[in-house]
Amino acid sequence: MANRRASITDLAKTLGLSPSTISRALSDHADVSEATKVRVRQLAEELHYQPNQLAAALRRGRSNTLGVLVPHITGHFFPLVVNGIATEAAKLGFNVMICQSNEDAGQEQKNIDLLMNSQVEGILVSLANTTQSFGHFEAVRQQNIPLVFFDRKVEDFEGSNVSAVVIDDYQGAYEVVTHLIEQGCTRIAHFTGPLHLSIHKNRHQGYLDALAAHGLAADEALSVHCEMSQKGGQLAMRQLLKLPAAQRPDGVFASNDLAAVGALQTVKALRLRTPQDVAIVGFSNEVFTTLTEPMLSTVDQRCEQMGKMAVQLLQKMLKSGPNRVGPPKPIVLKPKLLVRESSQRR
């Protein structure tokens, strides 16, 4: 027993009692004598016995646990969303099991299997950026486990047990580009991630529509698909600054803050000025955006509120039970443009 957890069977063998008696004693059942309860509790303490919560969940038919799957727990955005989830879950009496996919579709599928096998009562998930097939989510839907996507969701994936909480990515992007145009930018570049993800697709469309609404033609050379990282932003900015002077961008909208910081660093390394030569705006309001020089303009995504609302949506589905007519209506949060030094020319 020294190398494994003590079980009810171990306690029963040591005390010469049945496992059912041990279980009732630990549950303070009335039909077990106080003397027996004392013996059982003392041995349980000596052996550091811990009840098997999964087995208990299987007996009860519920686990009081919510599964959470995020692409990563680095940076500012996802940790704050998870904090919102954990805070709201605790208020409602739920435990939280957190997994990360590391932006890997295969790991995402394994994590979904793990959460389902752990008898979680519902799953909150943000897609990995490499996910393009959705059979693992179909399995969740088929088992009628409440499923709430947040930030990144599967497009047109519906069901009575499926809902979502997202930011209005289109509107956020539209406001960014409008702001850059108002600051005098006429050649605005967009650094985008994979367009099969709704967040990047919607942000790119907002970019295109804002240009069109203000009479500016979209230049394909200024739409750069790059890794949404600091290095990705650096490489994308170097690529654009190699263009002839008249074709270079005077404004950049990056679909996340890391890529925007990379752009900022490249502009500075090439002895250009931000925002005078190139105005730059990111997306997400990472904590480091107020520490850059100049401070980075960005879009706040209301992270903690997103997490709290995702739990509230899931709770509504749990309360309505397996015979629910339909899911709660998806929630679309309004973005907030934060104008700082990196884009403020006027």
Side-chain angles (χ1 to χ4, degrees):
M1 268 188 292
N3 295 321
R4 64 177 178 84
R5 289 177 54 178
S7 67
I8 281 183
T9 302
D10 296 324
L11 301 183
K13 287 180 178 179
T14 302
L15 295 174
L17 300 170
S18 68
S20 60
T21 298
I22 298 294
S23 180
R24 290 198 300 272
L26 291 171
S27 301
D28 200 26
H29 202 283
D31 67 359
V32 179
S33 70
E34 193 60 36
T36 299
K37 290 177 184 177
V38 170
R39 289 174 62 210
V40 171
R41 289 169 187 158
Q42 285 178 341
L43 182 61
E45 186 174 349
E46 289 173 14
L47 299 181
H48 305 291
Y49 167 77
Q50 294 290 329
N52 187 324
Q53 297 293 347
L54 179 55
L58 289 170
R59 290 194 298 271
R60 290 194 308 266
R62 60 174 302 176
S63 64
N64 281 336
T65 300
L66 304 181
V68 180
L69 177 54
V70 294
H72 50 80
I73 53 174
T74 56
H76 173 78
F77 176 74
F78 284 113
L80 278 184
V81 176
V82 169
N83 184 61
I85 289 172
T87 300
E88 190 65 19
K91 287 181 183 178
L92 297 174
F94 290 106
N95 300 311
V96 173
M97 182 183 295
I98 301 169
C99 303
Q100 64 173 340
S101 66
N102 291 312
E103 300 285 17
D104 180 80
Q107 187 61 43
E108 179 180 88
Q109 182 172 344
K110 289 178 182 178
N111 285 332
I112 289 292
D113 291 342
L114 170 65
L115 293 173
M116 292 174 68
N117 290 333
S118 298
Q119 302 293 310
V120 296
E121 296 196 37
I123 296 175
L124 303 103
V125 60
S126 188
L127 287 178
N129 62 24
T130 55
T131 299
Q132 298 194 55
S133 60
F134 311 107
H136 46 305
F137 296 119
E138 180 60 34
V140 177
R141 180 165 61 180
Q142 290 298 321
Q143 291 197 28
N144 212 18
I145 299 171
L147 176 64
V148 175
F149 292 100
F150 60 90
D151 186 48
R152 308 176 187 177
K153 65 175 185 175
V154 180
E155 291 290 306
D156 302 318
F157 188 83
E158 300 175 348
S160 62
N161 62 320
V162 181
S163 195
V165 182
V166 295
I167 197 77
D168 191 335
D169 292 295
Y170 174 92
Q171 184 62 32
Y174 193 99
E175 290 180 14
V176 167
V177 176
T178 298
H179 161 67
L180 288 170
I181 292 170
E182 290 172 348
Q183 297 303 304
C185 298
T186 58
R187 288 188 57 76
I188 300 169
H190 182 211
F191 296 175
T192 181
L195 294 180
H196 67 267
L197 281 181
S198 60
I199 58 168
H200 295 305
K201 182 179 77 173
N202 293 336
R203 290 173 196 177
H204 188 61
Q205 194 59 53
Y207 159 79
L208 294 174
D209 288 355
L211 290 178
H214 292 85
L216 296 178
D219 184 342
E220 286 188 11
L222 297 182
S223 289
V224 183
H225 295 260
C226 66
E227 183 179 322
M228 289 287 100
S229 65
Q230 188 174 343
K231 183 177 181 180
Q234 291 172 342
L235 294 174
M237 194 72 244
R238 285 188 177 277
Q239 173 184 326
L240 291 177
L241 291 178
K242 288 179 181 178
L243 294 170
Q247 298 176 30
R248 294 174 186 170
D250 55 5
V252 170
F253 162 44
S255 276
N256 80 359
D257 289 332
L258 280 171
V261 166
L264 194 69
Q265 291 172 329
T266 294
V267 169
K268 186 174 183 179
L270 295 178
R271 301 186 182 280
L272 297 173
R273 301 167 300 162
T274 300
Q276 295 91 334
D277 298 313
V278 185
I280 300 173
V281 184
F283 206 109
S284 289
N285 193 25
E286 296 279 356
V287 67
F288 57 74
T289 56
T290 59
L291 304 176
T292 58
E293 178 60 44
M295 289 193 292
L296 186 65
S297 296
T298 186
V299 177
D300 184 69
Q301 292 185 267
R302 303 170 71 184
C303 318
E304 292 193 71
Q305 185 178 6
M306 182 179 289
K308 290 178 181 179
M309 289 188 166
V311 174
Q312 291 168 7
L313 274 183
L314 195 146
Q315 170 74 338
K316 286 182 181 178
M317 284 188 273
L318 286 170
K319 281 186 173 181
S320 61
N323 297 319
R324 65 187 75 89
V325 176
K329 185 178 180 181
I331 294 174
V332 180
L333 301 173
K334 292 183 179 180
K336 182 179 180 181
L337 175 62
L338 303 175
V339 176
R340 300 185 182 129
E341 297 166 351
S342 69
S343 66
Q344 199 162 20
R345 288 174 162 181
R346 297 178 178 176

